[in-house]
């Protein structure tokens, strides 16, 4: 990259939108996992789609690699820049442009933080249902490019299911204008799907039309203690049947997760004793408080009568619902009470009927590498998604062996090595455990077609 290139960027965007040297703050080089990397050559902060297009046109012409950044809450290193790259930060394009309740759509810019979108939509009595722990910092563009999941997938689907239309700038600066606010559109290939979940390697999302829904006025939560995983599956089926559309979350915590969170994370109060094998958090939402409460109560009564659950508590207010959610949402704080470097975070998916056997296999087989290693497990069990934290404090040098073993076991169980976090650079070498050679080669063909100079997030997901 020549200095002339930086000058041309400044000409296109103005002096203040292009940062170099000491003006580049450390936050552009850190992500949530605490990884820190060398400083990129420049940070570019466009304010409009036209400016994004101008930047990419220049980068395409001069073959300059670009890392697109949102809220930097990823955990697979996908948004961390390399020293030869420029960072395209979407932080100035953060407006919620329109909330259209008649269409059930909100049009937002890609750099808008998820929580800002949620709150703006709530002002109209609506909700944008995508929700995850990083809501305050993660951005819609990041959510889209990683096809974010989170806590309400069981009812509303992943980010992919919540996108009506996208505006995208491709590698050569072409603007694909697909900001449509309706669901049905069978006019050839649905191009927006290429950019959802592809981690920014095919284009830069600049604006999105999101699906919004009337907000339920009542949200209540039950926490149940269960003796075995078979009972977890039974109560999930029962909750689906009895709560129907009211069921908005079904989360499971294994004993170690629940117990250690209550014992180690400040401010967390465990609503149930800590000795049970499994804990299921069931959230029901709707407009009729009495009905929601009665439905959850009936579910608990019936399952207690049949010994499906051993103990349970039901929220009586928003505050008590928040107390229950707090246990489940303290996973990051819990992991920080252990040495962070000796921790492997797995985000896998597999058929729920095999989860128990799978977690047991992980727990047993990691001990062959490190007899003191242990796993802490929770997950969005209703979506087939588990988050497993592997701790190996006494063998920090065995990280790769443990990681490889865990993905090997995941592959044996027919699972996916990434349910919602993506591949980035961290999981690149394991991609072939979840995707066939033919699938990966087809991904490369798409990349070559849309980004012939390989400038967009190069080296993420796979190498060319
Ligand atoms: Zn998750």
């Amino acid at each position: 990259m020549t200095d002339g290139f930086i000058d041309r960027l400044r000409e296109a965007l103005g002096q203040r939108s292009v940062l170099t040297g000491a003006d580049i703050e450390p936050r552009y080089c850190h992500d949530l996992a605490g990884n820190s990397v060398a400083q990129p050559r420049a940070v570019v902060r466009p304010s409009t789609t036209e400016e994004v297009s101008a930047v990419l046109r220049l980068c395409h012409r001069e073959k300059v690699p670009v890392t697109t950044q949102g809220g930097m809450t990823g955990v697979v290193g996908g948004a961390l820049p390399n020293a030869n790259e420029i960072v395209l930060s979407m932080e100035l394009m953060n407006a919620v442009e329109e909330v259209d309740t008649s269409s059930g759509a909100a049009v937002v810019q890609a750099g808008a933080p998820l929580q800002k979108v949620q709150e703006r939509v709530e002002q109209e009595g609506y909700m944008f249902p995508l929700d995850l722990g990083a809501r305050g910092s993660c951005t819609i563009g990041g959510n889209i490019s990683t096809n974010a999941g989170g806590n309400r997938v069981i009812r509303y689907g992943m980010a992919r299911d919540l996108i009506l239309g996208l505006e995208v700038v491709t590698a050569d600066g072409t603007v694909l204008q697909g900001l449509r606010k309706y669901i049905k559109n069978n006019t050839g290939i649905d191009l927006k799907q290429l950019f959802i979940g592809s981690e920014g390697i095919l284009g830069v999302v600049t604006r999105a039309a999101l699906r919004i829904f009337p907000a339920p006025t009542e949200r209540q939560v039950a926490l149940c203690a269960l003796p075995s995983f078979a009972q977890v599956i039974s109560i999930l089926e029962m909750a689906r049947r009895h709560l129907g559309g009211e069921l908005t979350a079904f989360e499971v915590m294994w004993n170690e997760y629940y117990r250690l969170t209550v014992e180690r994370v400040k401010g967390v109060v465990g609503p149930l004793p800590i000795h049970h094998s499994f804990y299921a958090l069931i959230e029901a939402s709707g407009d009729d408080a009495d009905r929601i409460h009665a439905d959850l109560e009936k579910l608990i009564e019936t399952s207690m009568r049949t010994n499906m659950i051993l103990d349970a508590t039901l929220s009586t207010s928003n505050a008590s619902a928040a107390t229950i959610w707090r246990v489940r949402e303290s996973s990051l704080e819990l992991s920080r009470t252990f040495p962070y470097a000796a921790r492997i975070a797995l985000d896998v998916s597999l058929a729920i009927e095999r989860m128990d056997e799978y977690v047991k296999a992980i727990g047993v087989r990691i001990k062959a590498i490190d007899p003191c290693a242990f796993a802490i497990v929770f997950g969005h069990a209703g979506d087939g998604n588990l988050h497993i934290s592997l701790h190996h404090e006494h063998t920090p040098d065995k990280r790769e062996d443990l990681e490889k073993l865990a993905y090997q076991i995941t592959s044996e169980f027919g699972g996916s090595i990434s349910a919602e976090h993506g591949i980035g650079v961290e999981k690149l070498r394991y991609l072939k455990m979840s995707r066939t050679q033919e699938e990966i080669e087809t991904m490369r063909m798409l990349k070559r077609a849309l980004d012939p100079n390989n400038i967009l997030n190069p080296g993420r997901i796979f190498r060319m």
Side-chain angles (χ1 to χ4, degrees), residues 37-74:
V37 293
Q39 187 166 290
R41 291 295 297 272
V43 173
V44 183
R45 307 194 310 153
S47 302
T48 63
T49 302
E50 292 67 35
E51 288 185 353
V52 174
S53 169
V55 172
L56 292 186
R57 221 168 25 242
L58 269 174
C59 292
H60 175 73
R61 204 170 62 208
E62 309 213 10
K63 298 190 169 66
V64 174
V66 183
T67 304
T68 307
Q69 287 187 353
M72 297 301 279
T73 58

Side-chain angles (χ1 to χ4, degrees), residues 106-380:
V107 177
V108 309
Q109 294 182 335
L114 173 58
Q115 192 171 343
K116 174 176 172 176
V117 175
Q118 289 173 333
E119 286 170 0
R120 175 64 189 85
V121 169
E122 274 160 28
Q123 286 171 14
E124 310 296 326
Y126 273 65
M127 73 180 293
F128 177 54
L130 186 71
D131 192 41
L132 50 150
R135 62 183 76 79
S137 335
C138 68
T139 63
I140 292 294
N143 296 152
I144 292 170
S145 63
T146 55
N147 187 27
N151 300 338
R152 299 212 178 97
V153 173
I154 195 168
R155 169 73 174 83
Y156 297 99
M158 297 182 74
R160 187 181 301 284
D161 302 295
L162 298 169
I163 307 298
L164 293 168
L166 287 185
E167 178 188 82
V168 177
V169 183
T170 58
D172 65 2
T174 302
V175 179
L176 297 179
Q177 190 46 263
L179 263 189
R180 300 178 178 93
K181 297 197 288 187
Y182 37 83
I183 293 173
K184 291 188 173 179
N185 181 23
N186 284 349
T187 51
I189 296 173
D190 188 358
L191 294 174
K192 69 176 180 287
Q193 300 297 351
L194 291 174
F195 305 100
I196 304 171
S198 54
E199 301 185 35
I201 68 166
L202 300 180
V204 176
V205 173
T206 44
R207 292 197 291 162
L210 310 174
R211 286 184 79 178
I212 57 173
F213 300 81
T217 49
E218 290 299 324
R219 209 179 274 292
Q220 292 184 14
V221 185
L223 183 70
C224 311
L226 303 106
S228 75
F229 199 78
Q231 312 289 44
V232 172
I233 296 179
S234 298
I235 200 166
L236 169 62
E237 285 184 41
M238 221 167 113
R240 278 193 173 124
R241 191 178 302 276
H242 291 290
L243 299 174
E246 289 174 357
L247 177 65
T248 40
F250 186 91
E251 307 274 309
V252 176
M253 295 167 270
W254 267 245
N255 171 271
E256 293 77 8
Y257 177 88
Y258 184 85
R259 178 169 51 83
L260 292 169
T261 300
V262 170
E263 285 174 355
R264 299 174 76 122
V265 181
K266 270 201 199 82
V268 168
V269 180
L272 294 176
I274 57 173
H275 63 272
H276 295 291
S277 298
F278 296 93
Y279 298 82
L281 182 162
I282 305 168
E283 184 190 78
S285 310
D287 282 334
D288 185 338
D290 294 341
R291 197 180 129 186
I292 299 276
H293 196 84
D295 287 351
L296 271 177
E297 215 162 44
K298 194 170 154 217
L299 179 72
I300 287 173
E301 269 170 26
T302 314
S303 47
M304 263 196 172
R305 232 188 354 257
T306 53
N307 294 324
M308 195 184 284
I309 62 176
L310 302 171
D311 199 355
T313 178
L314 188 54
S315 67
T316 47
S317 63
N318 285 345
S320 61
T323 302
I324 296 175
W325 264 114
R326 178 82 211 278
V327 186
R328 174 33 213 92
E329 290 211 305
S330 295
S331 56
L332 196 66
E333 285 163 274
L334 174 63
S335 67
R336 284 183 174 148
T337 69
F338 293 98
Y340 208 68
R343 164 185 181 256
I344 301 166
L346 305 173
D347 157 46
V348 301
S349 50
L350 70 159
I352 189 167
E353 57 177 13
R354 304 204 68 191
M355 275 182 186
D356 190 30
E357 196 191 343
Y358 168 79
V359 170
K360 284 179 180 147
I362 294 254
V364 170
R365 286 167 65 182
I366 54 173
K367 296 222 186 307
I369 295 175
D370 176 352
C372 298
F374 60 97
I376 302 177
V377 186
F378 74 92
H380 320 290

Side-chain angles (χ1 to χ4, degrees), residues 150 328 380 385 387 420-421:
R328 174 33 213 92
H380 320 290
N385 179 191
H387 292 301
E420 56 182 2
H421 292 168

